[in-house]
Amino acid sequence: MSRIHVRTTINGDAVEYLCEAGQSLLDVLRDDLGLTGTKEGCGTGDCGACSVLLDGRLVCSCLVLAAEADQRSVETVEGLADGDRLHPLQQKFLDHAALQCGICTPGFLVAARALLEKNPTPSETDVRYWLAGNLCRCTGYDKIVAAVMDAAAQMRKG
Amino acid sequence: MALDDRKRAFKVVGTRVPRPDGIDKVTGRALYGADMSAPGMLHGAILRSPHAHARIRAIDTSRAEALPGVKAVVTSADFCRAKHSFNQDALDHCMAREKALYDGHAVAAVAATSKSAARAALELIAVEYEVLPHVTEIEDALKPDAPVVQEDRRARNAPEGTHPNVTHVVSFGHGDLEAGFARADRVIERSFRTAATHQGYIEPHACLASVTPDGRGELWCCTQGHYYVRELCADFLGMDTSQLRVTASEIGGGFGGKTTVTIEPVALALSRKAGRPVKLVMSRDEVFRASGPTVSSWSDIKIGMTRDGRITAAQAMLRYQGGAFPCGTVELGAMSAFAAYDLEAVRADGINVMTNRPRQAAYRAPGAPMAIYAVESTVDELCQELGLDPLEVRLKNAARKGTKSAYGPTFDDIGLVATLEAAKAHPHYAAPLCPNQGRGLSCGFWFNFGGNTCVTLNLDADGTVGVTEGNPDIGGSRASISMMAAEELGIPYDKVRTIVADTASLGFNDVTDGSRVTFAVGLATIEAARDMIRKMCARVAKIWDIDEEAVIWEDGCARPAGPNAGDFEPMSIAEIAAIANKTGGPIAGHHEVNADGAGVSFGVHLVDVEVDPETGHTKILRYTVFQDAGKAVHPDYVEGQMQGGAVQGIGWALNEEYIYGEDGRLQNPGFLDYRIPVASDLPKIDTVILEIPNPGHPYGVRGVGETSIVPPLAALSNAVARAIGARLHELPMSPPRILQALKG
Amino acid sequence: MQFAAPRSASEAAALLQAEPGDARVLAGGSDLLVQMKSGALRPDLLVDIKRIPGLDAITAEDGGFRLGAAVPGARLGEHAGVRALWPGVVEAVELIGSTQVQGRATVAGNLCNASPAADAVPALVAADAVARVFGPRGERDCPVSDIPVGPGRNSLAKGEFVASILLPARPKRAADAYLRFIPRTEMDIAVASAGVSLVLDEDGRCTRARIALGAVGPKVLLAEEAAHCLIGTKLEDAALAAMAEACSALASPIDDKRGTVAFRKQVVGVLAKRAAKIAQDRAGGTK
Ligand SMILES: Cc1cc2nc3c(=O)[nH]c(=O)nc-3n(C[C@H](O)[C@H](O)[C@H](O)COP(=O)(O)OP(=O)(O)OC[C@H]3O[C@@H](n4cnc5c(N)ncnc54)[C@H](O)[C@@H]3O)c2cc1C
Ligand code: FES
Ligand code: FES
């Protein structure tokens, strides 16, 4: 089976890879590029653990073919911090104990980042609906919502 | 080990410090089960039965083996017989032997050079099945002509004529029931049903196995108990446990579902056969079909109450099914059913029935939620009928210190009354309600567990301390353990680092379950710290050339015990550490214990709901959890356990269920139709932590992980009953059922 | 399996036509990739239409809007013009999946996938939307209600695909609304749903109504009798009750893991009633 040659940008870096036609972007990120921060909870779009930004849009990387990323840009949880400076969302997740097991955390962070870029002043209800596609089984969401609200407030202050 | 008698002002315990694994987890660096790879690694995949019950006549793997890229194919023939029947059940669950016992039961597995080749190979395995009649529901499995799921598994203590699917018969209680019911002004009997639910951890089971031809093995896996995984896998593969090293990865949730093996022995067998490392990761569909779930139940409850709300007698008959294997969970149900009450006459009987469903796994307070749901709903209905306040009735009948519990032991200090009082005093209990709204309340209980634990503390040359423990950290336990070590040693939290050791690096530890880690590992850590302190004091005594007893430990320093001991400047832990190697060698503290005294835990939940009378949709308006934590070591993570458990219970009450078709196949093996709560379904979950010290722990700690899943089932059911003026006796209370109940 | 990302509509049609096996259009992939993962579908060729120029545009046309087949739901939600003109269609599209799914899922994909429970479809049918089908023999227009023919089956011929969907212009004092029932608040597939589009006269009397029902039949149902109950009324309780009853009577759902026949029949009427009130309100009929 001939493989597809893809040139893309991941977290700002130019990346090339070969993929099978049916391979998901998630599989390539995790298995071929070593970017295991993006998690697989379901593989069918239901849990949000695999959330990434594709050309700035929040998507499930399990429902994107690796071949589709050609000439596009992909951002993952690994690209969230600026060097050794955590993104405010990352810091607030720590401050608010918004993670227990942490498997859902990368997806929540990427999704919350997309929210705050689009809407810097979300209400708690906005946050809950925006994040409804990110499942967390440990926390009951309370501390996650609080962390996102607090990060939004801090980011507004600049 | 008893509660310290001196009342102490905690310095570290009770604060909200950052967790040591935090940054790794927010940056994507933390390594979970599926995140590890090895050079030359193969990808595994498992072929699963499409039938609920079928005899496996033959398996032909030759075409799969011939596919390019395929390096190994295994079936049950590639495993040893297990040491005893419980282990054999665990193995048979991982790989079917003579019969496929449920939809999704593994029958063969392959390892290949790519995921796609492994998947393609599965389709080339030919299994000849003889399809047998199946049974998935408790009532059906008890019918005389029901298919027998496994022969010769009937409970030995079962009365003559009991159905062969009944594997356990249990009974608890005391007192004269008949006299008790005769004293009641009102006696009601109700039947309840609860569906099987899944733990729903977001991380599917995953592992990386490597076995070499000399019989040595390495296993990396997400588990709640790597020592237990080692024991089972070594048994199934005929290995010495010392030759199999198991390392627990970071774990993406377990809730009891990762307390046993699912794919780990299969990965090891594939690796052994292929001579290469093998990674095996379950899909979500496989997780639902072939791991977990909890038991489903069908229970009868009979309770008698006087006009003023005193319970005179209480009786339960619980029937659980835990899948295609014998399952003892009903015992925990029968023990916990009436734990919240001080009763003169009580009896709880239970049976377990086999069905063609996956082998149940523990799920947070296993066995308790469904039993207590039935009891708490019945109590609530009595309160409604007799016009009594449900909180007052609970208070009137509450178990307290000295109560002989329904399951036997007499309670020591427990927090139920304090928890009920806190709920009563909370503004939530008095807040007004509107039409179509209702408020529900329920008590919950869990035994908690201690168990086998080893901890080592190492003093480093710079005076900082490494803690080595052996229980996977599911929700911040490394932080709590570091806190207790720091507290005991009198040093700052950030001078301690706790790691979870692999099975070769530390003595045996029981599984992370029974809410045991903060209690038992904490206790062992405190004792290990005390051991280290004794050694440090002895070392200082040697340096000062005074008696060991003349040196005491205070605020992170060794000091002379008093003026008579001599005039010495205190030596800090850093100073002792700096010269340790020259004054007698390295210093470490150890403790090994089979901890008891875990101390039971009670919780009370209050919930307000609004039901849409035209659609049966339930909206949760307000939710408050009250729970006794003994001592909240890290309050954030205690609250997190309370909130997380409450929300799992909410899902159980409203929407989660295993749905089987006529064909015995699971119809909803995915998160789209197995509906766990999402963020927008929920209001804030308020928490009130009570601290009634556990007499069995030096700091008073009780386990907090499990109790919180128990009350939501009845709390929601009671709230819905009061909102719609009709009571459902079945979970989940899905909208069609609520609409049906509304129609009467 | 092969993957192709053609740069023109004719190239796409030619690829779809030439493939002897199963050729599938790939839009957002939120149905397709799930079906492939479960093994329900094993296409031989995927044709990604998102790189065809123009297909990712929302353009104004004769007082309405033309939605390119590659436009994801999130883009529609961000478009103030479409929101204002067809709020019911937009709310239906926005109900599809999560924020993540919204980043990918297309309206045309929702239509062509032909699930009886598809959320956009009843709203599109109520809105009289028209699909523009591109194929080896050129373009044709087709009412959206004729695209799905049964669960998972659509009327497109080999080589054809939907290039765009036209949401037509709308008279004054008209509006639409869409409601669905799900057990949770998000992330569920509709158990029953209703799209309602109304035109009112100066007095607020309903002069035209289109009601379409989802998840209560093998494909979307146009509830003409129910709509008729509203004509000439100001959506008084009696008219709404008659309309709801007509919806329930028309519904021919099945029992499945998501709901029962009785539940779906009752709830579809409730939803139609509530959606009609919202549409009326939006059209200014309650002022
Ligand atoms: C987690 C999750 C939640 C979901 N929730 C909902 C929901 O709430 N409501 C709902 O309605 N749906 C839901 N869906 C299903 C799906 O997202 C929608 O149906 C979506 O609109 C499909 O669009 P798409 O662009 O992703 O289609 P694709 O998956 O790309 O395509 C779907 C089908 O249509 C064909 N197709 C696509 N575009 C065209 C075209 N232009 N011409 C011809 N054929 C075409 C494809 O070949 C394929 O057979 C959900 C899916 C997921 C994964
Ligand atoms: S893994 Fe992609 S949504 Fe769950
Ligand atoms: S923290 Fe475990 S799933 Fe969210």
Side-chain angles (χ1 to χ4, degrees):
Chain A
M1 193 184 349
S2 79
R3 306 220 289 166
I4 301 164
H5 181 196
V6 174
R7 286 186 191 81
T8 187
T9 305
I10 299 181
N11 298 326
D13 299 328
V15 174
E16 289 184 46
Y17 55 80
L18 294 174
C19 64
E20 296 171 13
Q23 221 176 344
S24 69
L25 176 60
L26 175 64
D27 274 355
V28 167
L29 288 173
R30 289 180 51 81
D31 297 346
D32 300 328
L33 304 177
L35 292 170
T36 55
T38 306
K39 303 299 178 192
E40 174 162 356
C42 68
T44 49
D46 304 320
C47 77
C50 65
S51 296
V52 300
L53 302 185
L54 181 64
D55 281 350
R57 271 268 175 234
L58 180 65
V59 300
C60 293
S61 59
C62 68
L63 292 188
V64 176
L65 292 178
E68 291 184 76
D70 193 38
Q71 310 296 335
R72 302 198 189 278
S73 85
V74 178
E75 282 160 276
T76 71
V77 69
E78 286 94 344
L80 206 51
D82 177 12
D84 63 355
R85 276 201 19 246
L86 294 181
H87 187 280
L89 276 162
Q90 292 173 310
Q91 189 57 51
K92 292 300 179 191
F93 265 58
L94 296 177
D95 296 347
H96 286 265
L99 48 142
Q100 279 177 36
C101 79
I103 194 83
C104 66
T105 308
F108 271 100
L109 289 168
V110 171
R113 173 187 166 188
L115 168 65
L116 299 187
E117 278 168 10
K118 188 180 150 101
N119 177 5
T121 54
S123 67
E124 191 182 316
T125 307
D126 293 337
V127 172
R128 287 184 180 274
Y129 275 88
W130 182 275
L131 297 177
N134 290 87
L135 300 181
C136 174
R137 192 60 156 170
C138 297
T139 63
Y141 305 104
D142 232 76
K143 294 182 189 297
I144 294 174
V145 174
V148 175
M149 293 299 285
D150 196 12
Q154 188 191 315
M155 286 164 72
R156 285 196 298 272
K157 278 191 240 140
Chain B
M1 188 177 166
L3 183 67
D4 289 349
D5 5 323
R6 78 189 150 108
K7 200 145 179 82
R8 60 195 302 158
F10 289 106
K11 291 207 178 101
V12 184
V13 164
T15 63
R16 299 175 190 249
V17 296
R19 60 194 277 173
D21 51 330
I23 291 187
D24 281 352
K25 286 181 176 166
V26 297
T27 55
R29 261 180 280 185
L31 294 173
Y32 292 82
D35 296 340
M36 189 64 102
S37 296
M41 180 181 87
L42 303 173
H43 294 273
I46 295 181
L47 182 68
R48 297 184 179 277
S49 166
H51 306 294
H53 195 190
R55 193 169 305 286
I56 300 169
R57 296 227 177 165
I59 304 180
D60 179 358
T61 59
S62 55
R63 286 180 61 220
E65 279 156 4
L67 189 74
V70 171
K71 303 294 174 188
V73 182
V74 300
T75 64
S76 63
D78 293 277
F79 298 90
C80 309
R81 289 296 295 216
K83 286 203 186 86
H84 49 76
S85 79
F86 189 78
N87 278 15
Q88 186 65 46
D89 286 347
L91 171 56
D92 290 348
H93 176 58
C94 294
M95 190 60 75
R97 239 176 335 142
E98 284 119 28
K99 289 203 293 186
L101 294 167
Y102 54 89
D103 165 43
H105 200 168
V107 294
V110 304
T113 48
S114 70
K115 283 183 184 170
S116 49
R119 274 194 298 268
L122 292 186
E123 298 185 11
L124 299 177
I125 298 174
V127 184
E128 197 187 315
Y129 291 107
E130 174 196 342
V131 178
L132 303 169
H134 64 269
V135 60
T136 54
E137 305 303 322
I138 298 172
E139 274 140 296
D140 298 336
L142 287 170
K143 287 183 182 148
D145 57 348
V148 176
V149 176
Q150 291 198 59
E151 299 289 348
D152 301 326
R153 303 309 291 270
R154 183 169 50 206
R156 278 198 220 107
N157 63 338
E160 195 65 21
T162 304
H163 197 285
N165 283 334
V166 174
T167 66
H168 286 72
V169 177
V170 299
S171 184
F172 294 90
H174 57 250
D176 184 344
L177 281 179
E178 222 171 292
F181 285 122
R183 272 207 315 283
D185 294 308
R186 183 85 182 92
V187 177
I188 62 174
E189 286 186 71
R190 296 286 180 268
S191 283
F192 297 89
R193 283 176 176 73
T194 64
T197 55
H198 194 276
Q199 298 83 353
Y201 32 80
I202 305 301
E203 179 198 30
H205 300 257
C207 64
L208 172 62
S210 178
V211 181
T212 46
D214 59 0
R216 266 178 250 277
E218 295 281 339
L219 180 66
W220 161 272
C221 61
C222 56
T223 174
Q224 292 176 243
H226 43 311
Y227 293 86
Y228 187 50
V229 168
R230 177 184 64 165
E231 177 191 320
L232 291 176
C233 290
D235 185 9
F236 304 163
L237 282 116
M239 297 166 80
D240 291 339
T241 48
S242 58
Q243 300 308 313
L244 176 60
R245 179 168 70 152
V246 184
T247 306
S249 69
E250 293 297 333
I251 176 172
F255 314 108
K258 292 178 184 164
T259 52
T260 182
V261 291
T262 47
I263 53 171
E264 299 78 1
V266 179
L268 286 163
L270 284 169
S271 172
R272 177 163 69 183
K273 205 160 182 177
R276 285 167 67 170
V278 174
K279 175 140 104 182
L280 196 49
V281 181
M282 279 176 122
S283 67
R284 178 53 55 184
D285 164 279
E286 290 180 285
V287 169
F288 276 114
R289 286 166 72 207
S291 78
T294 183
V295 300
S296 64
S297 74
W298 168 33
S299 307
D300 303 330
I301 306 292
K302 180 178 177 186
I303 297 180
M305 199 180 268
T306 60
R307 218 169 279 115
D308 62 349
R310 181 74 190 132
I311 298 175
T312 57
Q315 189 175 5
M317 175 66 212
L318 311 177
R319 303 172 199 86
Y320 288 6
Q321 71 72 30
F325 298 88
C327 163
T329 300
V330 70
E331 182 163 353
L332 298 172
M335 288 168 72
S336 59
F338 296 107
Y341 294 97
D342 182 13
L343 301 171
E344 268 174 39
V346 56
R347 184 181 165 109
D349 294 305
I351 61 169
N352 178 70
V353 188
M354 284 185 296
T355 62
N356 293 109
R357 296 192 186 208
R359 182 170 187 245
Q360 77 100 45
Y363 181 19
R364 228 173 181 154
M370 41 304 248
I372 291 178
Y373 151 70
V375 170
E376 289 291 275
S377 299
T378 309
V379 170
D380 197 61
E381 201 172 335
L382 277 164
C383 293
Q384 280 182 305
E385 287 198 11
L386 296 168
L388 299 168
D389 179 280
L391 229 168
E392 295 295 349
V393 168
R394 261 75 174 200
L395 271 168
K396 185 169 244 161
N397 295 284
R400 53 196 83 215
K401 185 171 185 166
T403 293
K404 180 177 163 59
S405 68
Y407 62 96
T410 298
F411 287 132
D412 200 328
D413 279 327
I414 56 171
L416 178 59
V417 171
T419 311
L420 284 164
E421 294 285 5
K424 193 172 145 188
H426 196 276
H428 184 169
Y429 197 59
L433 292 168
C434 300
N436 301 319
Q437 298 181 351
R439 174 165 303 138
L441 139 83
S442 171
C443 297
F445 161 84
W446 186 241
F447 307 94
N448 294 328
F449 179 59
N452 294 296
T453 311
C454 284
V455 172
T456 289
L457 262 60
N458 292 309
L459 179 60
D460 294 344
D462 61 357
T464 63
V465 172
V467 180
T468 307
E469 52 119 345
N471 278 92
D473 174 354
I474 308 200
S477 59
R478 272 166 295 193
S480 302
I481 288 159
S482 292
M483 291 169 85
M484 286 186 266
E487 184 75 53
E488 197 59 34
L489 293 167
I491 59 176
Y493 165 75
D494 59 7
K495 299 294 176 201
V496 181
R497 176 166 185 184
T498 298
I499 63 130
V500 179
D502 61 63
T503 54
S505 307
L506 186 69
F508 180 79
N509 281 277
D510 275 326
V511 174
T512 295
D513 68 0
S515 301
R516 73 175 216 93
V517 173
T518 309
F519 167 75
V521 181
L523 181 150
T525 301
I526 293 165
E527 273 298 299
R530 289 177 183 176
D531 182 40
M532 194 161 103
I533 288 169
R534 277 190 296 277
K535 289 175 184 161
M536 289 190 290
C537 288
R539 189 68 58 89
V540 170
K542 200 171 119 193
I543 296 167
W544 289 341
D545 197 17
I546 60 176
D547 279 353
E548 280 181 28
E549 295 76 61
V551 181
I552 58 160
W553 192 260
E554 229 175 66
D555 293 333
C557 295
R559 298 172 196 276
N564 297 341
D567 186 15
F568 300 102
E569 277 299 300
M571 274 187 88
S572 71
I573 192 165
E575 289 166 327
I576 300 167
I579 55 170
N581 288 0
K582 290 187 222 107
T583 54
I587 296 175
H590 303 278
H591 194 65
E592 295 84 28
V593 64
N594 185 354
D596 55 15
V600 302
S601 147
F602 287 93
V604 173
H605 291 199
L606 276 183
V607 59
D608 296 351
V609 302
E610 179 166 320
V611 180
D612 181 334
E614 288 187 313
T615 65
H617 192 272
T618 301
K619 181 174 181 193
I620 298 176
L621 304 171
R622 185 169 183 180
Y623 204 103
T624 314
V625 179
F626 305 84
Q627 191 176 317
D628 171 19
K631 174 72 204 167
V633 176
H634 193 310
D636 276 340
Y637 294 108
V638 172
E639 289 163 9
Q641 290 296 324
M642 290 159 72
Q643 292 167 331
V647 169
Q648 285 184 318
I650 289 169
W652 199 334
L654 294 182
N655 283 312
E656 292 179 33
E657 61 179 319
Y658 263 50
I659 304 171
Y660 280 92
E662 290 284 319
D663 57 0
R665 301 196 63 183
L666 183 61
Q667 298 204 333
N668 57 338
F671 280 131
L672 202 55
D673 285 303
Y674 183 86
R675 303 188 185 96
I676 75 172
V678 301
S680 50
D681 293 343
L682 300 161
K684 185 169 171 37
I685 309 292
D686 278 318
T687 53
V688 177
I689 301 175
L690 288 103
E691 296 188 324
I692 291 88
N694 170 19
H697 185 279
Y699 297 172
V701 170
R702 294 174 198 272
V704 294
E706 290 169 284
T707 304
S708 55
I709 201 175
V710 180
L713 284 62
L716 265 295
S717 183
N718 296 341
V720 168
R722 287 163 189 266
I724 68 173
R727 188 171 286 271
L728 283 78
H729 297 95
E730 185 167 10
L731 300 183
M733 296 181 288
S734 57
R737 285 191 183 138
I738 290 185
L739 215 51
Q740 185 74 35
L742 269 163
K743 283 185 184 159
Chain C
M1 190 183 74
Q2 301 289 314
F3 172 86
R7 307 293 154 141
S8 75
S10 3
E11 198 192 329
L15 282 163
L16 290 165
Q17 170 86 340
E19 169 60 46
D22 186 14
R24 295 270 165 176
V25 171
L26 171 68
S30 59
D31 279 314
L32 194 57
L33 299 194
V34 175
Q35 289 157 6
M36 282 163 53
K37 180 123 189 167
S38 75
L41 275 189
R42 291 154 182 253
D44 301 290
L45 171 67
L46 293 186
V47 178
D48 182 355
I49 57 169
K50 294 190 290 298
R51 299 199 192 237
I52 299 173
L55 251 60
D56 64 345
I58 302 174
T59 41
E61 182 174 321
D62 298 337
F65 287 100
R66 183 167 291 284
L67 317 177
V71 175
R75 288 257 318 279
L76 200 62
E78 288 158 6
H79 196 288
V82 184
R83 276 199 103 91
L85 194 67
W86 291 102
V89 172
V90 175
E91 73 195 350
V93 172
E94 289 195 312
L95 285 172
I96 297 173
S98 56
T99 323
Q100 286 85 340
V101 171
Q102 285 286 306
R104 296 269 292 167
T106 64
V107 179
N110 195 246
L111 179 66
C112 296
N113 185 59
S115 157
D119 281 309
V121 178
L124 292 173
V125 169
D128 268 323
V130 178
R132 177 152 298 165
V133 177
F134 192 95
R137 280 180 297 281
E139 280 180 354
R140 67 183 173 93
D141 281 346
C142 170
V144 288
S145 54
D146 292 347
I147 299 279
V149 292
R153 288 185 302 119
N154 66 40
S155 60
L156 299 174
K158 177 98 183 153
E160 283 189 328
F161 66 96
V162 171
S164 64
I165 292 172
L166 180 70
L167 288 172
R170 227 186 29 202
K172 278 213 178 70
R173 301 182 65 75
D176 67 335
Y178 174 82
L179 288 176
R180 68 171 183 183
F181 182 84
I182 54 169
R184 290 183 288 191
T185 51
E186 277 283 345
M187 296 307 287
D188 284 336
I189 300 302
V191 180
S193 69
V196 178
S197 177
L198 301 176
V199 182
L200 311 179
D201 67 12
E202 292 292 311
D203 298 337
R205 262 176 219 291
C206 179
T207 58
R208 189 162 182 268
R210 266 175 83 83
I211 301 175
L213 311 178
V216 289
K219 62 170 273 190
V220 59
L221 299 178
L222 185 64
E224 287 176 308
E225 227 171 276
H228 194 74
C229 299
L230 300 183
I231 304 298
T233 76
K234 289 187 171 179
L235 274 59
E236 297 84 356
D237 287 350
L240 284 172
M243 183 272 276
E245 209 166 295
C247 288
S248 299
L250 177 70
S252 56
I254 52 166
D255 272 328
D256 67 7
K257 62 189 172 190
R258 293 184 183 140
T260 59
V261 168
F263 180 78
R264 286 184 154 123
K265 278 176 94 74
Q266 170 165 352
V267 169
V268 79
V270 172
L271 295 170
K273 192 174 71 179
R274 291 178 181 179
K277 292 291 282 182
I278 297 169
Q280 178 193 28
D281 195 36
R282 285 179 179 158
T286 49
K287 293 207 187 78

